[in-house]
């Protein structure tokens, strides 16, 4: 039964991103949350099911379960079923290590909106090096095959860094004409990622050009591809790479709510812990979302909040300084994202 949404102070979340556990069976060098060990005092099944009901009452459209590795939790499918029974769309991001025929059968029963996995290299050598476990490439490719065979809505996420960005054409060849949605995003210098692996601005721009080329060359059936929210803003040469035609600023706390596995509430999981707005063990997610002072960095944004990189930009009021996570990771400030197509074009291109 679909829950009747409560009246909210702010618009209902279009998406809730839920870190089901911080536990993980890989050791990825780019992991922003340094996942591996289970977070102390993670939500119980009972608390998780109550959270599902609260998200539904809040009017949340979609819930994305991720980790860590969500399939480590024995109750992942129970939580997934509750999300679906309450009328919300369900997406699941897994690294594929634990996926087998039984897991695929459970996923099919849940009728998810999307099942996604990470593919971080066009070769086993590169993918396994980044993911920290030998054989992980073969397992993720098996997950993709099983998922496609079961006719699940399959997506692949590639997190780009210095070690793998030159293998993007190889990953393209692995996905082409398989109707697998491909999201390309940028690794940021948080968690385990060393700054030496972070893309330069020129590398970043070249990846943007690559994504734009794919979108122009291939139909959505041949290769549905997007650049994530961290992929460039206000270019005069590169069309929008995301789902929407225009970038309207970071959506953390605007249309997205995020939940840590211990119940902490953020706008975006990738932002520092100083952006935690509360914990559902003390206040419900409904109360936190409806707090007029919550997520003030985005909800009460003013042009004067722009960081020094963005304060004089003509796009500042609408762009709002790009991706909050990338901004905080790279500069320690909000609304100050250095990975900006407009700024890169101003810096390097002639006759602008």
């Amino acid at each position: 039964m679909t829950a009747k949404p409560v009246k909210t102070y702010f618009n209902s979340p279009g998406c809730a991103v839920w870190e089901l556990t911080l536990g993980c069976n890989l050791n990825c060098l780019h992991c922003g949350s340094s996942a591996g060990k289970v977070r102390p005092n993670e939500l119980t099944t009972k608390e998780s099911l109550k959270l599902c009901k609260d998200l539904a009452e809040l009017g949340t459209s979609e819930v994305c379960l991720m980790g860590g590795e969500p399939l480590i939790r024995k109750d992942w499918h129970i939580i997934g079923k509750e999300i679906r029974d309450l009328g919300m769309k369900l997406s699941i991001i897994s690294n594929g290590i634990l996926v087998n025929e039984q897991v695929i059968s459970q996923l099919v029963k849940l009728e998810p909106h999307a099942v996604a996995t990470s593919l971080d290299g066009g070769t086993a050598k590169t993918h396994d090096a980044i993911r920290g476990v030998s054989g992980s490439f073969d397992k993720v490719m098996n997950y993709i095959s099983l998922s496609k065979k079961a006719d699940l809505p399959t997506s692949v996420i590639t997190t780009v860094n210095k070690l793998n960005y030159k293998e993007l054409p190889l990953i393209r060849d692995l996905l082409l004409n398989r109707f697998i949605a491909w999201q390309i995003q940028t690794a940021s210098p948080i968690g385990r990622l060393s700054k030496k692996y972070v893309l330069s601005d020129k590398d970043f721009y070249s990846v943007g050009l690559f994504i734009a080329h794919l979108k122009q060359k291939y139909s959505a059936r041949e290769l549905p591809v997007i650049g994530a929210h961290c992929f460039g803003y206000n270019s005069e040469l590169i069309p929008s790479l995301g789902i929407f035609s225009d970038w309207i600023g970071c959506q953390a706390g605007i249309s997205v709510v995020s939940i840590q596995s211990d119940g902490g509430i953020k706008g975006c999981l990738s932002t520092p812990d100083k952006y935690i707005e509360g914990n559902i063990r003390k206040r419900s997610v409904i109360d936190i979302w409806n707090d007029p002072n919550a997520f003030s960095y985005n909800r009460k944004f003013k042009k004067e909040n722009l960081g020094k990189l963005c304060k004089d930009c003509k796009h500042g009021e609408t762009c709002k300084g790009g991706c909050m996570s990338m901004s905080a990771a790279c500069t320690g400030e909000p609304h100050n994202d250095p990975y900006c197509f407009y700024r890169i074009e101003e810096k390097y291109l002639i006759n602008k």
Side-chain angles (χ1 to χ4, degrees):
M1 179 183 292
T2 302
K4 185 178 180 180
V6 297
K7 187 174 181 180
T8 61
Y9 163 77
F10 208 75
N11 296 330
S12 296
C15 180
V17 181
W18 187 348
E19 175 198 83
L20 207 56
T21 177
L22 195 59
C24 191
N25 45 14
L26 293 181
N27 187 36
C28 303
L29 64 80
H30 63 269
C31 182
S33 53
S34 300
K37 294 182 179 180
V38 173
R39 193 188 294 273
N41 202 23
E42 294 192 334
L43 297 177
T44 65
T45 302
K46 182 178 179 180
E47 289 172 323
S48 297
L49 296 179
K50 170 63 166 57
L51 174 58
C52 292
K53 291 182 173 63
D54 286 347
L55 288 170
E57 286 189 27
L58 197 52
T60 307
S61 300
E62 179 177 354
V63 181
C64 177
L65 301 180
M66 59 180 295
E69 170 50 45
L71 300 189
I72 284 178
R73 279 193 63 136
K74 303 299 184 183
D75 58 358
W76 70 267
H77 59 286
I78 297 172
I79 296 169
K81 183 177 185 300
E82 183 73 357
I83 290 166
R84 293 292 291 115
D85 288 348
L86 289 166
M88 295 178 286
K89 294 177 182 178
L90 170 68
S91 297
I92 298 177
I93 302 175
S94 168
N95 60 35
I97 299 297
L98 298 176
V99 174
N100 52 31
E101 295 282 1
Q102 180 183 357
V103 170
I104 292 294
S105 177
Q106 290 173 312
L107 287 170
V108 168
K109 290 178 182 177
L110 290 174
E111 299 180 322
H113 179 65
V115 292
T117 190
S118 295
L119 182 57
D120 288 317
T123 62
K125 180 181 179 180
T126 299
H127 178 89
D128 290 0
I130 291 172
R131 306 301 281 185
V133 172
S134 178
S136 58
F137 177 83
D138 292 337
K139 289 186 177 181
V140 76
M141 294 306 296
N142 180 59
Y143 175 24
I144 292 170
S145 295
L146 289 174
S147 180
K148 289 301 298 178
K149 183 180 178 181
D151 201 28
L152 287 166
T154 309
S155 299
V156 159
I157 300 168
T158 299
T159 304
V160 187
N161 58 67
K162 283 279 192 182
L163 293 175
N164 67 358
Y165 80 103
K166 291 183 179 179
E167 291 195 8
L168 288 174
L170 296 178
I171 299 175
R172 172 203 59 199
D173 294 344
L174 292 172
L175 304 179
L176 190 60
N177 290 315
R178 299 181 68 184
F179 200 54
I180 297 171
W182 188 16
Q183 176 176 299
I184 301 174
Q185 59 192 35
T186 310
S188 60
I190 56 175
R192 281 197 289 264
L193 185 68
S194 168
K195 288 186 177 181
K196 69 181 179 180
Y197 296 128
V198 177
L199 296 180
S200 69
D201 53 3
K202 290 182 179 179
D203 295 335
F204 175 80
Y205 195 81
S206 71
V207 176
L209 289 171
F210 176 78
I211 299 171
H213 170 70
L214 295 181
K215 291 172 74 70
Q216 182 180 47
K217 182 175 181 179
Y218 300 108
S219 69
R221 177 159 293 278
E222 291 173 305
L223 187 65
V225 59
I226 62 169
H229 55 272
C230 57
F231 244 107
Y233 318 103
N234 299 300
S235 170
E236 295 189 16
L237 301 174
I238 299 175
S240 175
L241 301 179
I243 297 173
F244 305 108
S245 58
D246 295 301
W247 169 257
I248 56 172
C250 173
Q251 291 299 294
I254 303 290
S255 64
V256 178
V257 64
S258 299
I259 306 117
Q260 293 182 324
S261 57
D262 61 358
I265 298 296
K266 292 181 177 179
C268 170
L269 284 175
S270 297
T271 52
D273 283 351
K274 68 180 182 179
Y275 291 102
I276 294 174
E277 303 290 340
N279 192 291
I280 66 166
R281 286 181 167 131
K282 296 181 179 179
R283 289 196 299 164
S284 73
V285 67
I286 298 172
D287 289 342
I288 294 172
W289 184 263
N290 285 333
D291 185 336
N293 295 312
F295 313 101
S296 59
Y297 55 91
N298 269 347
R299 292 183 179 180
K300 297 183 179 181
F301 169 82
K302 296 178 181 179
K303 188 175 181 179
E304 50 263 37
N305 300 137
L306 291 168
K308 60 183 179 182
L309 294 176
C310 304
K311 64 180 182 178
D312 296 323
C313 179
K314 66 179 183 180
H315 299 291
E317 283 191 271
T318 53
C319 178
K320 301 178 182 178
C323 170
M324 275 287 296
S325 170
M326 190 64 76
S327 177
C330 295
T331 70
E333 299 178 46
H335 313 295
N336 197 46
D337 185 353
Y339 286 92
C340 168
F341 288 159
Y342 178 75
R343 183 182 300 109
I344 294 170
E345 289 168 357
E346 287 281 304
K347 182 177 179 181
Y348 293 111
L349 298 186
I350 302 172
N351 296 326
K352 284 262 297 137

